[in-house]
Amino acid sequence: MRPLLLLDNVSRAFQGVPAVRPLTLAIPEGRTTVLVGPSGSGKSTLLRMMVGLVRPDTGQVLFEGRPLTAESAPAERRRMGLVLQGGGLFPHLSVEDNAALVARYLGWDGPRVAARLQVLLDRVQLPATVLRRYPAELSGGQRQRVSLLRALMLEPALLLLDEPLGALDPITRSELQEDLRATFQALGTTVVLVTHDLGEAAYLGDTLVLLREGRVVQSGTAEDLVRRPAEDFVERFVRAQRALPR
Amino acid sequence: MSLGASVALGFLLAQPPVQVGSKVFTESVVLGEVATRTLAASGIPAVHRRELGGTRILWDALQRGELDAYPEYTGTLAEEIFAGRVPATLEALRPALATRGVRIAVVLGFVDSYALGMKAATAETLGIRRISDLQAHPQLRFAFSNEFLDRADGWRALQRAYGLPQTDVRGMDHDLAYRGLAAGAFEVTDLYSTDAEVQRLGLRVLEDDRRHFPDYQALLLLREAAASPGVLAALSQLDGRVSARDMVAMNARAKVDHVPEARIAADFLKATGLDTGSPVLPGRARRLLGYLRDHLVLVGVSLAGSILVGLPLGILAARRPRLGQAVLAGVGVLQTLPSLALLVLMIPLLGIGARPAIAALFLYGLLPVVRNTHAGLTGIPGELQEAAEALGVSRLERLWRIELPLASPSILAGIQTSAVICVGTATLGALVGAGGFGQPILTGIRLDNVGLLLEGAVPAALLALAVQGLFEGLGRLVIPRGLRLVRMP
Ligand SMILES: Nc1ncnc2c1ncn2[C@@H]1O[C@H](COP(=O)(O)OP(=O)(O)OP(=O)(O)O)[C@@H](O)[C@H]1O
Ligand SMILES: [Mg+2]
């Protein structure tokens, strides 16, 4: 399978401290890749690199075979949907304006925007009444759904989510996990997801990539990681997870 | 012809009105008023730009052609303009002034020099008429203004010139000295020979019989380029017409009786038969409206400039951190300059009137706008900056749709600060002839007239409050609703 996105021998240090050590990683098209690992292992840095928000010190990022550069990144980003940990919603814009900002910038007319919003509201299970509301008037779960809706607005080829469910209560979280899985399957989009939670990773991901101190320790299915740990650290990481949903 | 009609006629003939200036003391303002009304009575349009400042400001404005005429004194010309290189006589000054394109249009007829004075009754009893008569009375107590005590040509020089034996000599404030004299705390003080108090307190001005004090003959200076036969003919009617007694009386009416200078001048001209018209004095409401209009122009134009320049500078500072520090430091330095100094620094560049005031206020108002724009933009939480960058829209779109709205509460607060500072500082504009609420404050201070002072100070304070309120309201319009729901971190 041809990778939609390829991190080719990339590395990155901040003030001389390496966050990502030279690594090569392919994101296969149409699948969900999950980056897992302890705090500070470089998950977010890697994700930002894929969108061009962080430049690699060495190597390059290839999106659909084209190198992602400072010049090409803004246009390429419109084919990527990004969900940040806190949602990254703009507090001064209503839900509708948050979602439709780029579409309108690209010249979509009113009916086209409205039609797309309607489809996505159904997709992320939100009532149309939220469109007029402001982020401050939403619950945490609703905010994450809106954030997902905004990321899906332009039918992205690649969807990237950085700990989208980090700060939610267990019930909302498991509801959203189900809805995310349904969405990924329905759309067949390529997804990169960052999470701490191995259970979530197993539930949502096709391939898990376990990171430690900026290195890929093991990548494979959840089963591979549990049954055939590549090293001690993998076993420890798996055992550290309390409750796995069955 | 009335003043209004002659001004209207002047416009029809496209003849610019003669610009008459005056310094920021009562006698100068009265004389400026007299000159202006005399011109108007001869059908020559003239405006009086009153209380412009000190000798330097008036002289420079005359040299630049912003003023055509103003009252001056021979001694001042000799000392301050020609730095002692030209003696204080008419014969010496005329050619010296001619080289600067200025002529003495009128010698008014009185001398306003430093002098010594004492109560007329005391002087009469002791038989003192001249300064040299003081030699015979070593027991007399003297009190002088601090300036007179310190000046090289002040008390010490006078003592030497006349061989005065008195030892009870102290320094004090000029106005306090008059009160002390009235109360009998001492017998002799220094004064200007046309001070209002000469009449009010019944003082005798002692004759300077050894001609120690420089000659301060009162004149009207006229710019050569403005010296048309009509203007010269009109002004020459004043030649020798203002006696020391007239001047003291006029000063007293202004300072003691709080009569407006325009009326004093009109009454004087009526008494001398030069003009029979009555002044049109605007009522308080009209006056306040005029000040308000001037003040709003000063604040409005300078604030608009501060915003138009400050906003881009703030954005630039936020985008380029290195350059940003330099920009912030630069506008910060402007803010540390005392506003009065900034105002005066503008005069050589922009002359007198509203322009230097607007320029100074503009520079002064820059810092709050730049600093708050910078703070608002750099204070956007990292995640939102990232989310904005990840959208893939142009930098301009990002700035316009996301960054500026997010920074709008801070930016608006900066503009508000700038506006409120501006309303207050604009009162200093009157010092350079910009008008506004500073005008009655300035006049009130000069005439020691609290009512007049409040006429400027109270509306200025109210205007500042109104501006404050306006911005609170504006916040509801400009700051996006979604932002008012949350407190930004
Ligand atoms: N902009 C930055 N400036 C300086 N250091 C950074 C920056 N971004 C990341 N780092 C450092 O790089 C390392 C990896 O950070 P990263 O955010 O990628 O970790 P993570 O795996 O996402 O952690 P978490 O699970 O806590 O979110 C950390 O040590 C972090 O402090
Ligand atoms: Mg992270």
Side-chain angles (χ1 to χ4, degrees), chain B residues 39 68-70 90 94 97 102-108 218-224 226-228 231-240:
Chain B
L39 287 167
D68 298 315
Y70 81 90
L90 293 172
R94 282 191 205 275
L97 286 168
V102 173
R103 75 156 69 185
I104 296 172
V106 175
V107 179
L108 287 161
L219 317 164
L220 275 181
L221 295 185
L222 183 65
R223 206 159 57 86
E224 205 60 69
S228 67
V231 170
L232 282 174
L235 289 179
S236 67
Q237 302 173 85
L238 289 170
D239 234 346

Short mmCIF file of all heavy atoms in Angstrom, two decimals, chain B residues 39 68-70 90 94 97 102-108 218-224 226-228 231-240:
data_model
loop_
_atom_site.label_atom_id
_atom_site.label_comp_id
_atom_site.label_asym_id
_atom_site.label_seq_id
_atom_site.Cartn_x
_atom_site.Cartn_y
_atom_site.Cartn_z
N LEU B 39 -7.44 97.48 13.69
CA LEU B 39 -7.40 97.07 12.28
C LEU B 39 -8.81 96.84 11.76
O LEU B 39 -9.19 97.32 10.69
CB LEU B 39 -6.58 95.78 12.13
CG LEU B 39 -5.07 95.94 12.27
CD1 LEU B 39 -4.40 94.59 12.43
CD2 LEU B 39 -4.50 96.68 11.06
N ASP B 68 1.57 88.18 11.93
CA ASP B 68 1.95 89.38 11.22
C ASP B 68 2.35 90.49 12.19
O ASP B 68 3.15 91.35 11.84
CB ASP B 68 0.78 89.86 10.35
CG ASP B 68 0.43 88.83 9.29
OD1 ASP B 68 1.36 88.30 8.66
OD2 ASP B 68 -0.77 88.55 9.12
N ALA B 69 1.78 90.45 13.38
CA ALA B 69 2.05 91.53 14.32
C ALA B 69 1.91 91.03 15.74
O ALA B 69 1.15 90.09 16.00
CB ALA B 69 1.06 92.68 14.08
N TYR B 70 2.65 91.63 16.67
CA TYR B 70 2.42 91.37 18.11
C TYR B 70 3.08 92.45 18.94
O TYR B 70 4.00 93.11 18.49
CB TYR B 70 2.89 89.96 18.49
CG TYR B 70 4.37 89.79 18.73
CD1 TYR B 70 4.90 89.97 20.02
CD2 TYR B 70 5.24 89.44 17.71
CE1 TYR B 70 6.26 89.79 20.26
CE2 TYR B 70 6.59 89.26 17.94
CZ TYR B 70 7.10 89.44 19.21
OH TYR B 70 8.43 89.27 19.45
N LEU B 90 15.17 102.93 20.05
CA LEU B 90 14.44 102.81 18.80
C LEU B 90 15.38 102.97 17.60
O LEU B 90 15.27 102.24 16.62
CB LEU B 90 13.34 103.88 18.73
CG LEU B 90 12.21 103.69 19.77
CD1 LEU B 90 11.27 104.89 19.75
CD2 LEU B 90 11.46 102.40 19.50
N ARG B 94 15.50 99.77 15.02
CA ARG B 94 14.83 99.81 13.71
C ARG B 94 15.65 99.12 12.62
O ARG B 94 15.14 98.22 11.95
CB ARG B 94 14.48 101.25 13.32
CG ARG B 94 13.25 101.77 14.04
CD ARG B 94 12.75 103.10 13.44
NE ARG B 94 12.01 103.90 14.39
CZ ARG B 94 10.71 103.74 14.63
NH1 ARG B 94 10.04 102.82 13.97
NH2 ARG B 94 10.11 104.49 15.52
N LEU B 97 16.02 95.34 13.27
CA LEU B 97 14.79 94.60 12.97
C LEU B 97 14.58 94.49 11.46
O LEU B 97 14.12 93.47 10.96
CB LEU B 97 13.58 95.28 13.61
CG LEU B 97 13.46 95.11 15.13
CD1 LEU B 97 12.41 96.06 15.69
CD2 LEU B 97 13.11 93.67 15.48
N VAL B 102 11.34 92.80 9.84
CA VAL B 102 10.33 93.24 10.81
C VAL B 102 10.45 94.75 11.00
O VAL B 102 11.55 95.28 10.97
CB VAL B 102 10.54 92.51 12.15
CG1 VAL B 102 9.60 93.06 13.22
CG2 VAL B 102 10.33 91.01 11.99
N ARG B 103 9.32 95.42 11.17
CA ARG B 103 9.41 96.85 11.46
C ARG B 103 8.61 97.22 12.71
O ARG B 103 7.71 96.50 13.12
CB ARG B 103 8.93 97.67 10.26
CG ARG B 103 7.42 97.70 10.10
CD ARG B 103 7.00 98.91 9.33
NE ARG B 103 7.45 98.82 7.92
CZ ARG B 103 7.28 99.81 7.05
NH1 ARG B 103 6.73 100.94 7.45
NH2 ARG B 103 7.66 99.67 5.82
N ILE B 104 9.00 98.33 13.30
CA ILE B 104 8.24 98.84 14.44
C ILE B 104 7.11 99.67 13.85
O ILE B 104 7.34 100.77 13.33
CB ILE B 104 9.13 99.70 15.37
CG1 ILE B 104 10.23 98.81 15.98
CG2 ILE B 104 8.29 100.34 16.47
CD1 ILE B 104 11.28 99.59 16.76
N ALA B 105 5.89 99.14 13.90
CA ALA B 105 4.77 99.84 13.28
C ALA B 105 4.25 100.94 14.18
O ALA B 105 3.78 101.97 13.71
CB ALA B 105 3.65 98.85 12.96
N VAL B 106 4.33 100.70 15.49
CA VAL B 106 3.74 101.65 16.43
C VAL B 106 4.61 101.72 17.68
O VAL B 106 5.05 100.69 18.18
CB VAL B 106 2.32 101.19 16.85
CG1 VAL B 106 1.75 102.11 17.93
CG2 VAL B 106 1.39 101.11 15.66
N VAL B 107 4.86 102.93 18.15
CA VAL B 107 5.42 103.09 19.50
C VAL B 107 4.24 103.54 20.34
O VAL B 107 3.68 104.61 20.15
CB VAL B 107 6.54 104.15 19.52
CG1 VAL B 107 7.08 104.31 20.94
CG2 VAL B 107 7.65 103.74 18.56
N LEU B 108 3.80 102.65 21.25
CA LEU B 108 2.49 102.84 21.86
C LEU B 108 2.42 104.04 22.80
O LEU B 108 1.36 104.64 22.97
CB LEU B 108 2.08 101.57 22.60
CG LEU B 108 1.67 100.43 21.65
CD1 LEU B 108 1.71 99.10 22.37
CD2 LEU B 108 0.29 100.68 21.05
N ALA B 218 6.90 100.12 25.00
CA ALA B 218 5.95 99.19 24.37
C ALA B 218 5.79 99.53 22.89
O ALA B 218 5.66 100.70 22.53
CB ALA B 218 4.61 99.25 25.07
N LEU B 219 5.82 98.48 22.05
CA LEU B 219 5.76 98.65 20.59
C LEU B 219 4.75 97.68 19.99
O LEU B 219 4.35 96.71 20.64
CB LEU B 219 7.12 98.30 19.96
CG LEU B 219 8.38 98.78 20.61
CD1 LEU B 219 9.56 98.00 20.04
CD2 LEU B 219 8.53 100.26 20.36
N LEU B 220 4.41 97.93 18.76
CA LEU B 220 3.76 96.88 17.98
C LEU B 220 4.71 96.53 16.85
O LEU B 220 5.10 97.39 16.08
CB LEU B 220 2.43 97.38 17.39
CG LEU B 220 1.18 97.28 18.27
CD1 LEU B 220 -0.02 97.79 17.49
CD2 LEU B 220 0.94 95.84 18.72
N LEU B 221 5.11 95.27 16.79
CA LEU B 221 5.97 94.82 15.69
C LEU B 221 5.09 94.38 14.54
O LEU B 221 4.02 93.81 14.74
CB LEU B 221 6.84 93.65 16.14
CG LEU B 221 7.87 93.93 17.22
CD1 LEU B 221 8.71 92.68 17.45
CD2 LEU B 221 8.76 95.10 16.83
N LEU B 222 5.57 94.62 13.33
CA LEU B 222 4.81 94.22 12.15
C LEU B 222 5.77 93.57 11.16
O LEU B 222 6.87 94.08 10.92
CB LEU B 222 4.14 95.45 11.51
CG LEU B 222 3.24 95.21 10.30
CD1 LEU B 222 2.02 94.39 10.69
CD2 LEU B 222 2.82 96.54 9.69
N ARG B 223 5.34 92.46 10.61
CA ARG B 223 6.14 91.80 9.60
C ARG B 223 6.14 92.68 8.34
O ARG B 223 5.09 93.15 7.92
CB ARG B 223 5.51 90.45 9.28
CG ARG B 223 6.44 89.39 8.75
CD ARG B 223 5.81 88.04 9.00
NE ARG B 223 4.49 87.96 8.36
CZ ARG B 223 4.30 87.60 7.10
NH1 ARG B 223 5.32 87.29 6.34
NH2 ARG B 223 3.10 87.56 6.58
N GLU B 224 7.33 92.90 7.78
CA GLU B 224 7.46 93.79 6.62
C GLU B 224 6.50 93.36 5.51
O GLU B 224 5.83 94.18 4.89
CB GLU B 224 8.91 93.73 6.12
CG GLU B 224 9.37 94.96 5.37
CD GLU B 224 9.30 96.23 6.20
OE1 GLU B 224 10.08 96.38 7.17
OE2 GLU B 224 8.43 97.06 5.87
N ALA B 226 3.73 92.10 5.67
CA ALA B 226 2.32 92.37 5.94
C ALA B 226 2.06 93.88 6.04
O ALA B 226 0.94 94.30 6.30
CB ALA B 226 1.90 91.68 7.23
N ALA B 227 3.12 94.68 5.84
CA ALA B 227 3.01 96.12 6.06
C ALA B 227 2.43 96.84 4.85
O ALA B 227 3.11 97.63 4.21
CB ALA B 227 4.36 96.70 6.45
N SER B 228 1.19 96.54 4.55
CA SER B 228 0.54 97.25 3.44
C SER B 228 0.21 98.67 3.91
O SER B 228 0.12 98.90 5.12
CB SER B 228 -0.73 96.52 3.03
OG SER B 228 -1.68 96.61 4.07
N VAL B 231 -2.70 98.69 6.37
CA VAL B 231 -2.40 98.18 7.71
C VAL B 231 -1.60 99.22 8.49
O VAL B 231 -1.89 99.52 9.66
CB VAL B 231 -1.63 96.84 7.62
CG1 VAL B 231 -1.12 96.43 8.99
CG2 VAL B 231 -2.53 95.76 7.04
N LEU B 232 -0.59 99.80 7.81
CA LEU B 232 0.24 100.81 8.49
C LEU B 232 -0.59 102.01 8.91
O LEU B 232 -0.45 102.51 10.03
CB LEU B 232 1.37 101.25 7.56
CG LEU B 232 2.54 100.26 7.46
CD1 LEU B 232 3.53 100.72 6.41
CD2 LEU B 232 3.21 100.13 8.83
N ALA B 233 -1.46 102.45 8.01
CA ALA B 233 -2.28 103.62 8.32
C ALA B 233 -3.18 103.32 9.51
O ALA B 233 -3.34 104.15 10.42
CB ALA B 233 -3.12 104.00 7.09
N ALA B 234 -3.78 102.14 9.51
CA ALA B 234 -4.70 101.78 10.59
C ALA B 234 -3.95 101.74 11.92
O ALA B 234 -4.38 102.33 12.91
CB ALA B 234 -5.35 100.44 10.30
N LEU B 235 -2.81 101.04 11.94
CA LEU B 235 -2.08 100.87 13.20
C LEU B 235 -1.48 102.18 13.69
O LEU B 235 -1.39 102.43 14.89
CB LEU B 235 -0.99 99.80 13.05
CG LEU B 235 -1.49 98.36 12.91
CD1 LEU B 235 -0.31 97.40 12.75
CD2 LEU B 235 -2.33 97.95 14.11
N SER B 236 -1.07 103.05 12.73
CA SER B 236 -0.38 104.28 13.14
C SER B 236 -1.30 105.17 13.98
O SER B 236 -0.82 106.05 14.70
CB SER B 236 0.14 105.04 11.91
OG SER B 236 -0.97 105.51 11.17
N GLN B 237 -2.60 104.93 13.90
CA GLN B 237 -3.51 105.69 14.76
C GLN B 237 -3.20 105.46 16.24
O GLN B 237 -3.56 106.26 17.09
CB GLN B 237 -4.97 105.27 14.53
CG GLN B 237 -5.45 105.43 13.10
CD GLN B 237 -6.84 104.82 12.96
OE1 GLN B 237 -7.82 105.48 13.24
NE2 GLN B 237 -6.90 103.56 12.57
N LEU B 238 -2.55 104.32 16.55
CA LEU B 238 -2.27 104.00 17.95
C LEU B 238 -0.98 104.66 18.44
O LEU B 238 -0.66 104.60 19.63
CB LEU B 238 -2.17 102.49 18.14
CG LEU B 238 -3.48 101.70 18.01
CD1 LEU B 238 -3.20 100.21 17.98
CD2 LEU B 238 -4.41 102.06 19.16
N ASP B 239 -0.22 105.26 17.52
CA ASP B 239 1.08 105.83 17.88
C ASP B 239 0.95 106.81 19.05
O ASP B 239 0.20 107.78 18.97
CB ASP B 239 1.67 106.57 16.66
CG ASP B 239 3.06 106.06 16.34
OD1 ASP B 239 3.64 105.37 17.21
OD2 ASP B 239 3.55 106.33 15.24
N GLY B 240 1.63 106.51 20.12
CA GLY B 240 1.66 107.40 21.27
C GLY B 240 0.34 107.54 21.99
O GLY B 240 0.17 108.42 22.85
#
